[in-house]
């Protein structure tokens, strides 16, 4: 049984860069935010270097690699340019995500099953370089099986549909999405994949997902950065950590 202490929190600092880029210049600095997140108890830092560089920049990645003492989870599209950047830096982990220029944020999971051969060849050099390869996918058996076949070590389940349904008061849809996440977390774990989850999680939605014993890491960004406006970054992270650990501890007590 996974214990409370084993549930990691990865803090995504993309939207610190979004605020900086709204005015240009150097402030606020995502690297400074990452270091504060470390001090607040983050187990890792996530940053998505998008093709259009709308938030995180190449320079930010340089700075994060130099400054961090916790692992960097480098989110990237499956493009030759991003592969070259990842191979140059060799971060602890790379998470392959779908990416469209017109989207506001990542809209869904990667379609692995349709691109199995290409993605298998794409991730092989990353694995050979020592990066842990994660695939961001929907809670779908077909995609999980494909991710396993291509050699990914980790999957990150997209929690956005669950969070959207909760926010919109669609309780039936919310419960169905949560049940799918629970079932597919257990299935992926049974295949030997490490299970992560993220996208859209808030104080109101994190605990049911944190309670899944197979989930080893939650990656949360936009909500934490937004909440930091009101609480400060370190208190916002500390509250998320408290909720996660309380949920995992309650799950462990119930199982015991």
């Amino acid at each position: 049984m996974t214990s409370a202490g084993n549930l990691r929190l990865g803090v995504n600092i993309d939207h610190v860069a979004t605020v900086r880029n709204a005015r240009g210049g150097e402030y606020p600095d995502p690297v400074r935010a990452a270091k504060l997140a470390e001090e607040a108890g983050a187990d890792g830092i996530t940053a998505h270097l998008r093709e259009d560089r709308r938030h995180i920049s190449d320079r930010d990645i340089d700075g994060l690699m130099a400054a961090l003492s916790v692992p960097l989870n480098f989110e990237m599209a499956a493009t030759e340019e991003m592969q070259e950047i990842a191979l140059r830096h060799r971060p602890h982990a790379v998470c392959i995500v779908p990416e469209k220029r017109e989207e506001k944020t990542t809209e869904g999971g990667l379609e692995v099953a349709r691109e199995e051969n290409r993605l298998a060849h794409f991730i092989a050099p990353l694995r050979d370089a020592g990066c842990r390869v994660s695939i961001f996918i929907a809670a779908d058996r077909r995609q999980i099986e494909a991710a396993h076949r291509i050699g990914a070590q980790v999957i990150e389940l997209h929690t956005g549909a669950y969070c959207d349904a909760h926010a919109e008061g669609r309780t039936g849809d919310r419960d169905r999405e949560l049940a799918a996440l629970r079932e597919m977390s257990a299935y992926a774990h049974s295949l030997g994949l490490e299970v992560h989850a993220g996208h859209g999680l808030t104080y109101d939605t994190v605990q049911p997902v944190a309670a899944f014993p197979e989930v080893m890491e939650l990656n949360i960004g936009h909500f934490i950065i937004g909440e930091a406006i009101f609480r400060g970054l370190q208190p916002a992270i500390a509250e998320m950590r408290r909720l996660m650990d309380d949920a995992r501890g309650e799950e462990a007590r119930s199982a015991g």
Side-chain angles (χ1 to χ4, degrees):
M1 180 62 64
T2 305
S3 69
N6 294 131
L7 179 60
R8 301 187 298 269
L9 171 61
V11 175
N12 185 313
I13 45 83
D14 289 353
H15 295 296
V16 177
T18 299
V19 176
R20 175 195 63 193
N21 296 351
R23 290 285 295 268
E26 303 295 324
Y27 185 85
D29 179 13
V31 177
R32 182 182 176 193
K35 293 299 291 180
L36 286 170
E38 273 189 3
E39 293 170 16
D43 300 291
I45 298 297
T46 294
H48 182 181
L49 184 66
R50 295 184 70 109
E51 180 187 22
D52 61 10
R53 309 304 200 267
R54 67 176 64 171
H55 37 60
I56 293 295
S57 69
D58 298 73
R59 183 179 173 188
D60 293 330
I61 299 298
D62 293 342
L64 290 165
M65 288 297 300
L68 290 177
S69 56
V70 296
L72 175 65
N73 176 35
F74 179 59
E75 287 190 348
M76 54 181 267
T79 66
E80 184 176 332
E81 178 197 22
M82 292 300 156
Q83 186 190 62
E84 289 175 358
I85 293 169
L87 289 173
R88 184 167 71 248
H89 286 293
R90 300 189 179 195
H92 168 78
V94 295
C95 184
I96 313 301
V97 302
E99 189 174 306
K100 294 186 292 186
R101 278 182 177 263
E102 65 273 15
E103 68 189 358
K104 290 182 179 179
T105 185
T106 307
E107 293 175 348
L110 193 67
E111 177 51 66
V112 189
R114 281 205 304 261
E115 297 191 81
E116 207 168 306
N117 187 58
R118 182 181 82 85
L119 289 170
H121 285 91
F122 181 83
I123 71 171
L126 298 167
R127 285 198 58 166
D128 291 345
C131 301
R132 298 198 75 203
V133 176
S134 175
I135 308 290
F136 188 69
I137 55 176
D140 178 89
R141 185 179 296 264
R142 181 167 162 264
Q143 302 301 333
I144 291 169
E145 290 170 348
H148 181 249
R149 284 193 297 269
I150 68 173
Q153 296 118 306
V154 182
I155 61 160
E156 181 168 340
L157 295 177
H158 188 301
T159 54
Y162 154 67
C163 294
D164 289 346
H166 176 85
E168 295 163 12
R170 295 182 283 111
T171 56
D173 290 341
R174 178 201 64 195
D175 293 347
R176 281 187 290 274
E177 292 291 344
L178 189 62
L181 289 164
R182 181 185 299 110
E183 180 183 358
M184 290 301 104
S185 295
Y187 181 61
H189 178 75
S190 77
L191 296 178
L193 291 161
E194 183 169 312
V195 182
H196 300 177
H199 198 83
L201 291 168
T202 69
Y203 293 153
D204 292 335
T205 56
V206 70
Q207 290 196 304
V209 180
F212 300 162
E214 300 84 6
V215 172
M216 298 299 292
E217 180 173 303
L218 298 179
N219 285 299
I220 307 173
H222 185 268
F223 178 81
I224 286 175
I225 301 307
E227 190 67 12
I229 294 170
F230 306 105
R231 292 178 184 243
L233 183 58
Q234 290 172 306
I237 292 170
E239 177 63 4
M240 188 64 78
R241 163 66 71 190
R242 182 190 71 78
L243 291 166
M244 289 166 53
D245 289 348
D246 283 356
R248 182 57 65 88
E250 181 60 35
E251 185 278 333
R253 287 189 291 274
S254 298

